[in-house]
Amino acid sequence: MMGFSRGIVFLLLLYLLQGSDTSLVKLNENGYEDIIIAIDPAVSEDVTIIDQIKDMVTKASAYLFEATEKRFFFKNVSILIPENWTNSDQYRRPKQESYKHADIKVAPPALQGRDEPYTRQFTKCGKKAEYIHFTPDFVLGRKQKEYGDSGRLLVHEWAHLRWGVFDEYNEDQPFYSASSKKIEATRCSTGIKGMNKAQVCQGGSCITRNCRRNSTTQLYEKDCQFFPDKVQTEKSSIMFMQSIDSVTEFCKKENHNREAPTLHNQKCDYRSTWEVISNSEDFKNSTPMEMPPSPPFFSLLRISERIVCLVLDVSGSMGSYDRLNRMNQAAKFFLQQILESRSWAGMVHFHSSATVKSELIQINSDVERNQLLETLPTSASGGTSICSGIRTAFQVFKNKGYQTGGNDILLLSDGEDSTAKDCLDEVKDSGAVVHFIALGKAFDQSISNMANVTGGKQLFATDEAQNNGLIDAFGALASENADVTEKSLQLESKGAVLTNSRWLNDTVVIDSTVGKDTYFLVTWSQQAPAIHLRDPKGTQITNFTIDTASKMAYLTIPGIAEVGVWTYNLEAKVDSEILTITVTSRASRPSVPPIIVNAKVNTDTNSFPSPMIVYAEVLQGYTPIIGARVTATIESNSGKTEELVLLDNGAGADAFKDDGVYSRYFTAYSDNGRYSVKVRADGGTNSARRSSRHPSSRAAYIPGWVVDGEIQGNPPRPETTEDTQPVLENFSRTASGGAFVMSKVPALPLPDQYPPNQITDLQATLDGEKISLTWTAPGDDFDVGRVQQYIIRTSENIIDLRDNFNKSLQVNTTHLIPKEANSKETFAFKPETISGENATYIFIAIESVDKSNLHSGLSNIAQVALFTPQADPVPEESPQSGVSITTIVLSVVGAVVLVCIIVSTTVCILKRKRSSSGPATTF
């Protein structure tokens, strides 16, 4: 059973995170094509940035080719240029390229003065990351002294982005006790030479001195750093410090440092970087080249005004379930509030044929918006021909003199259409971006493929109006290339079937980062409700526009809405009424980025028993917001909803603690078909804080170099006085997380095929004679429920513990009662035997077992030093007087001889005398 359950875990991990990838990059004959580098609209115009990007990528391509043993290079790259930059004859209009699909973003730093390049990476080892973030100063070469050559650094970040490897250093654990009984700098490989020195700066001047010990950890103090030799011969590793001139390779199995507590070791099961890369689909689908590649080809694409055509289904089935009216409500919401000013918009209706209802008109005021609203459909009849609707939209573009490439088609349909596949190739070749909204249960896969092949969004809404899915879907269709300060953000989305009460009451928070164009939308199914809305001062707001025909009421707050808590009370006039409320707003001022929430799932298609993962990141600009309460509502095809609290605790599905990414496994499937995801984030004083720590997955800051035995130091990297800065107000946001399709879900109740999640935050400390452990509790099913038991084992060899866990010494956990998932677990035990004569430290790992005897994956491996490791010689410091000896008292079957050799640092060696009764028993 144990082997079987571990096999399940392996298969599940293989399946995770497949298919939910916004990047358009593809590998073609060893070359990466369709790479997108986007310059953020907040970056001041400087065409030198474009030249420097070209130079950086060209150098990176050659370095990547050699680093991957002549396998990979960069073939073609598109550079997205903001609309607010001056136009040029060199610039073309983008097609499918957008900020959403950007692989590299050139944008202001997350915090002023902090220009560290990094990769937004929050998935598992071996899985693609989100994007690379470079600042303008870095791209312009102003940070080369601190981070090294930009081309080499791009390859370091590309490895994060494309292959899901991690850094081979660890700023939280920069030193460790090696099996050599020495303190070593955390690095890979150990062939990298250098000095361990402390750099202390004050008043603009810095001095270096020998490192001192930390009295608690017995390792070096926090000011101690590893300064590499400027001249080296070691070739690896790029994921440690690619800025070393001799480094041209990734660590391979034969030179990989498995002892070091690097992030890569912790996340990738102690495999070398090259082993992870070699297991990638890129590697499997390529062979080394004989000739070096040509330099990359660059396309310069400048963002321009949005061109969109609504293609709306008016077939007979749209007359059922109040679909036509609901579509009109959502389309009005889109045209009034979501569609950006200066955009061009047209409209097509289709059933068995299609009709142009509005040619393209530019949105400059409410006049044009109202003109489009008047063309919404009033009746439904006939069959369904999606291709006729798409082709007619193409004609709308051409009638205004526009090519189809780069234009948006918003397609809504509720029915199956077996002929939709007939125009799939035509749609793909057009260059248009098709966003597909499926209403109801029936739809043709060919329509979904249109969204997939064009880089568009797939959004789904059931006939359960109270879940507000259709309005949420249209709300998610803001332009991908609009500046975030111009986008409409959703603050509230809520609905209910009012049976036991006629009231829908709640509050919505408007924080200082939003407030412009604040819009309240109320819908009903039978009769207009009484609407009571009060601002933060308690003033009643009454001037809603009532649209009886469309069963909706709306209101736009003039100017900037007042910051604070707004209260709404909706009173239904009839029984079993369905009421919904949606609130949106834009950034209050262009100089301050608003707080946003982005949501996604790990894969678009899945089959039982593979789990889903729901992700939501909460940001202000590029700065993560931590400490928020984030919940996901998952709605099945039949309208059943499940609520999931997402966590940022670094356990379970969450890769890094406090990085502003909240995640959770989802396994509560109710049926086959589509599931849609909506996320809500709420924060406030002392509960949501803005992280100012250095991001993970980045190239190492160069502290300085050792040249001819002397340290030539760089200025210390800018640090903040606190790890976090408070967000001094409440906020709320909602966002669509897209959808996924499940298959092979058996009849309820579901069989238990989900093991506990892997423990990833196990920590161990020596506390007197005992070893104290802490970790986050896993659940019966991944991170939900409670496990049955923990199996804790120890070894004196990290590799042996990992590879032969079941044969390692087991700790007695009889009195360890597991807690609920995501609780903090603590456990202390007293070691009773050491088998080796010169054991330096003990390694500890945990497996969890659920009630069905399914085992988790092996936890990260924690370690405890049994003896003080040897430090570097300190010739100029006199030995400390007196003797301070700290030992662990160990009880062994037989006898223990404790030999203490007292020098400037006490070294204790344990020797065990064999018992006549045989070897020692397990813990």
Side-chain angles (χ1 to χ4, degrees):
M1 172 63 81
M2 185 178 296
F4 173 72
S5 62
R6 286 183 180 167
I8 290 176
V9 174
F10 177 71
L11 290 173
L12 294 182
L13 292 177
L14 281 181
Y15 199 93
L16 289 180
L17 304 174
Q18 312 246 334
S20 184
D21 180 20
T22 58
S23 175
L24 300 180
V25 174
K26 58 180 179 290
L27 183 67
N28 182 16
E29 296 181 346
N30 296 82
Y32 289 109
E33 298 180 336
D34 300 332
I35 299 168
I36 299 174
I37 302 178
I39 302 174
D40 193 276
V43 174
S44 300
E45 182 169 357
D46 185 351
V47 294
T48 309
I49 291 176
I50 298 174
D51 295 331
Q52 291 296 101
I53 289 173
K54 291 179 179 179
D55 182 64
M56 173 180 68
V57 175
T58 301
K59 291 187 296 184
S61 182
Y63 187 58
L64 177 67
F65 184 68
E66 295 301 324
T68 57
E69 299 181 351
K70 306 185 187 306
R71 280 184 183 269
F72 306 123
F73 65 98
F74 298 137
K75 184 177 288 186
N76 64 59
V77 177
S78 295
I79 302 177
L80 276 184
I81 299 165
E83 186 177 0
N84 56 14
W85 283 30
T86 306
N87 204 355
S88 167
D89 293 339
Q90 302 178 62
Y91 302 160
R92 295 187 294 105
R93 177 180 169 85
K95 290 186 178 180
Q96 297 175 7
E97 301 88 354
S98 71
Y99 287 115
K100 169 191 173 185
H101 299 121
D103 305 287
I104 301 168
K105 298 183 180 182
V106 180
L111 290 171
Q112 192 65 32
R114 299 268 287 273
D115 286 273
E116 54 231 310
Y118 66 90
T119 301
R120 190 65 162 151
Q121 184 176 17
F122 51 73
T123 52
K124 304 294 183 181
C125 178
K127 304 303 176 183
K128 296 173 186 175
E130 304 303 300
Y131 59 83
I132 298 168
H133 181 187
F134 291 149
T135 67
D137 276 357
F138 171 79
V139 172
L140 289 169
R142 296 168 183 164
K143 299 297 175 181
Q144 185 166 329
K145 186 176 181 181
E146 293 89 343
Y147 296 103
D149 177 79
S150 61
R152 283 171 164 250
L153 190 144
L154 174 54
V155 173
H156 177 104
E157 300 304 329
W158 185 262
H160 286 307
L161 180 75
R162 186 69 184 179
W163 303 310
V165 300
F166 292 84
D167 291 320
E168 292 182 319
Y169 64 90
N170 188 341
E171 290 191 353
D172 292 331
Q173 294 177 269
F175 296 95
Y176 69 101
S177 289
S179 57
S180 63
K181 301 183 176 64
K182 292 183 178 180
I183 300 176
E184 290 279 5
T186 300
R187 66 196 189 281
C188 190
S189 74
T190 52
I192 297 294
K193 306 300 182 185
M195 290 184 177
N196 302 323
K197 295 288 182 179
Q199 186 180 48
V200 182
C201 299
Q202 189 173 8
S205 62
C206 299
I207 61 168
T208 57
R209 58 169 172 76
N210 289 322
C211 296
R212 298 167 183 157
R213 288 186 185 277
N214 179 293
S215 59
T216 301
T217 65
Q218 291 301 316
L219 298 174
Y220 289 136
E221 61 190 317
K222 69 178 183 66
D223 290 330
C224 188
Q225 298 179 82
F226 176 74
F227 291 83
D229 291 349
K230 181 66 175 176
V231 178
Q232 306 260 358
T233 58
E234 181 63 34
K235 294 183 177 181
S236 62
S237 171
I238 290 171
M239 298 313 295
F240 170 61
M241 191 175 281
Q242 81 294 325
S243 52
I244 297 172
D245 289 342
S246 65
V247 169
T248 56
E249 298 177 356
F250 295 101
C251 259
K252 296 181 171 64
K253 187 175 183 179
E254 53 269 22
N255 62 0
H256 178 53
N257 180 8
R258 296 183 179 181
E259 288 186 346
T262 65
L263 286 175
H264 184 80
N265 273 340
Q266 294 172 7
K267 299 291 186 182
C268 297
D269 196 28
Y270 300 88
R271 293 176 294 161
S272 70
T273 305
W274 191 247
E275 287 176 88
V276 175
I277 295 173
S278 300
N279 197 46
S280 69
E281 290 301 313
D282 289 352
F283 197 93
K284 294 174 182 176
N285 294 325
S286 64
T287 55
M289 297 171 60
E290 294 183 2
M291 299 294 293
S294 300
F297 176 79
F298 295 93
S299 300
L300 304 183
L301 309 176
R302 180 176 172 272
I303 304 300
S304 57
E305 66 274 4
R306 186 182 192 186
I307 302 172
V308 58
C309 186
L310 280 70
V311 180
L312 305 179
D313 189 346
V314 294
S315 62
S317 55
M318 287 293 293
S320 305
Y321 303 104
D322 199 29
R323 289 174 179 171
L324 188 68
N325 183 64
R326 290 182 61 213
M327 178 181 71
N328 285 346
Q329 291 173 343
K332 285 184 178 183
F333 168 60
F334 174 80
L335 293 171
Q336 289 178 329
Q337 187 65 14
I338 304 302
L339 185 62
E340 300 79 12
S341 294
R342 304 185 307 278
S343 298
W344 291 81
M347 188 178 298
V348 169
H349 298 174
F350 72 92
H351 40 64
S352 53
S353 61
T355 306
V356 177
K357 291 297 181 178
S358 174
E359 298 288 357
L360 290 175
I361 58 175
Q362 189 168 30
I363 307 299
N364 295 311
S365 67
D366 287 343
V367 173
E368 293 82 14
R369 296 182 190 273
N370 291 332
Q371 186 178 333
L372 284 165
L373 291 177
E374 291 173 0
T375 65
L376 288 169
T378 57
S379 62
S381 63
T384 305
S385 175
I386 287 170
C387 284
S388 67
I390 295 287
R391 290 174 178 138
T392 304
F394 291 164
Q395 191 60 48
V396 168
F397 299 142
K398 293 176 182 177
N399 289 346
K400 197 66 178 178
Y402 290 110
Q403 299 295 318
T404 57
N407 300 338
D408 286 347
I409 293 177
L410 273 53
L411 170 66
L412 181 143
S413 179
D414 75 333
E416 295 186 30
D417 178 6
S418 60
T419 66
K421 62 181 180 297
D422 296 344
C423 59
L424 184 59
D425 290 338
E426 187 178 344
V427 170
K428 182 179 180 181
D429 295 339
S430 73
V433 178
V434 177
H435 303 287
F436 170 51
I437 302 174
L439 177 56
K441 297 181 180 180
F443 74 102
D444 192 276
Q445 186 60 44
S446 298
I447 317 173
S448 292
N449 290 339
M450 285 185 187
N452 288 332
V453 301
T454 65
K457 292 184 178 179
Q458 294 184 67
L459 300 159
F460 303 96
T462 66
D463 289 314
E464 313 301 318
Q466 68 271 18
N467 294 333
N468 216 21
L470 196 53
I471 288 175
D472 289 339
F474 272 91
L477 293 175
S479 170
E480 299 294 352
N481 284 327
D483 188 339
V484 68
T485 61
E486 298 176 358
K487 288 187 178 183
S488 183
L489 305 174
Q490 203 169 59
L491 311 185
E492 175 70 293
S493 174
K494 190 173 185 178
V497 180
L498 301 177
T499 52
N500 299 324
S501 170
R502 290 193 175 185
W503 289 92
L504 178 60
N505 306 317
D506 212 333
T507 60
V508 60
V509 176
I510 297 179
D511 60 276
S512 64
T513 70
V514 293
K516 182 182 177 182
D517 296 338
T518 302
Y519 179 87
F520 288 80
L521 171 65
V522 175
T523 72
W524 57 89
S525 63
Q526 300 178 66
Q527 185 175 331
I531 302 173
H532 306 278
L533 176 66
R534 291 178 176 82
D535 69 13
K537 292 180 179 178
T539 304
Q540 179 99 6
I541 310 296
T542 58
N543 52 334
F544 275 79
T545 298
I546 308 297
D547 184 346
T548 305
S550 297
K551 300 178 183 177
M552 58 190 290
Y554 51 89
L555 164 71
T556 300
I557 304 297
I560 305 297
E562 187 169 350
V563 171
V565 179
W566 292 62
T567 303
Y568 61 84
N569 308 96
L570 309 181
E571 182 186 12
K573 297 300 183 181
V574 295
D575 293 334
S576 300
E577 179 66 278
I578 300 174
L579 298 181
T580 76
I581 182 168
T582 305
V583 184
T584 62
S585 189
R586 301 183 198 274
S588 57
R589 50 197 186 279
S591 60
V592 178
I595 296 171
I596 62 171
V597 57
N598 298 317
K600 60 176 280 187
V601 291
N602 61 302
T603 181
D604 298 329
T605 57
N606 205 352
S607 61
F608 186 85
S610 298
M612 294 297 301
I613 301 179
V614 180
Y615 296 102
E617 59 174 347
V618 187
L619 303 167
Q620 184 177 17
Y622 287 89
T623 305
I625 303 290
I626 64 175
R629 174 175 171 79
V630 182
T631 56
T633 301
I634 302 170
E635 181 185 2
S636 73
N637 206 36
S638 61
K640 181 180 179 182
T641 61
E642 295 279 348
E643 189 170 281
L644 200 63
V645 177
L646 308 185
L647 303 173
D648 187 15
N649 61 355
D654 194 60
F656 292 102
K657 182 178 181 180
D658 290 343
D659 65 346
V661 178
Y662 303 75
S663 52
R664 200 77 181 271
Y665 288 107
F666 175 72
T667 59
Y669 309 124
S670 54
D671 48 36
N672 289 302
R674 297 189 306 267
Y675 291 74
S676 61
V677 180
K678 180 165 66 177
V679 166
R680 180 185 179 96
D682 295 281
T685 306
N686 299 323
S687 63
R689 301 176 70 85
R690 188 170 55 183
S691 172
S692 58
R693 296 184 303 174
H694 296 289
S696 57
S697 301
R698 67 188 187 279
Y701 183 90
I702 303 169
W705 301 100
V706 178
V707 180
D708 296 329
E710 298 293 329
I711 290 179
Q712 297 179 355
N714 280 335
R717 182 173 54 190
E719 299 284 350
T720 53
T721 55
E722 296 181 1
D723 280 345
T724 56
Q725 299 172 351
V727 174
L728 299 177
E729 56 187 327
N730 296 331
F731 69 86
S732 64
R733 298 289 187 274
T734 65
S736 169
F740 59 92
V741 177
M742 282 300 302
S743 61
K744 300 181 181 179
V745 177
L748 298 177
L750 298 177
D752 184 2
Q753 297 192 35
Y754 299 113
N757 63 263
Q758 179 188 27
I759 295 168
T760 58
D761 61 349
L762 177 64
Q763 295 183 343
T765 56
L766 189 60
D767 187 10
E769 298 181 358
K770 292 185 176 182
I771 294 174
S772 295
L773 305 178
T774 62
W775 67 94
T776 301
D780 182 89
D781 296 335
F782 292 107
D783 50 16
V784 176
R786 186 199 302 261
V787 301
Q788 190 76 12
Q789 63 168 318
Y790 294 114
I791 299 174
I792 303 177
R793 295 181 184 272
T794 68
S795 176
E796 298 149 30
N797 184 288
I798 188 171
I799 306 302
D800 189 57
L801 180 62
R802 188 197 69 189
D803 296 343
N804 300 290
F805 180 77
N806 290 337
K807 297 180 180 179
S808 299
L809 296 177
Q810 185 169 349
V811 175
N812 185 344
T813 57
T814 303
H815 301 295
L816 175 56
I817 308 300
K819 298 178 181 177
E820 280 293 318
N822 302 300
S823 302
K824 182 58 66 175
E825 294 275 26
T826 59
F827 179 70
F829 67 97
K830 182 178 180 181
E832 294 183 353
T833 181
I834 295 293
S835 62
E837 292 187 350
N838 297 305
T840 305
Y841 45 82
I842 292 177
F843 297 98
I844 307 106
I846 303 180
E847 267 190 4
S848 310
V849 186
D850 71 7
K851 61 180 180 295
S852 299
N853 201 34
L854 298 177
H855 289 238
S856 71
L858 190 65
S859 73
N860 66 297
I861 298 176
Q863 68 182 64
V864 170
L866 301 181
F867 306 98
T868 303
Q870 299 173 20
D872 291 339
V874 189
E876 71 273 22
E877 294 182 0
S878 58
Q880 296 179 356
S881 60
V883 176
S884 175
I885 303 175
T886 302
T887 64
I888 321 173
V889 178
L890 301 172
S891 174
V892 186
V893 177
V896 171
V897 179
L898 179 64
V899 182
C900 293
I901 304 171
I902 303 174
V903 290
S904 59
T905 298
T906 302
V907 178
C908 298
I909 302 174
L910 282 174
K911 294 186 178 180
R912 189 187 66 172
K913 191 177 294 182
R914 290 284 179 182
S915 167
S916 59
S917 61
T921 57
T922 60
F923 290 0

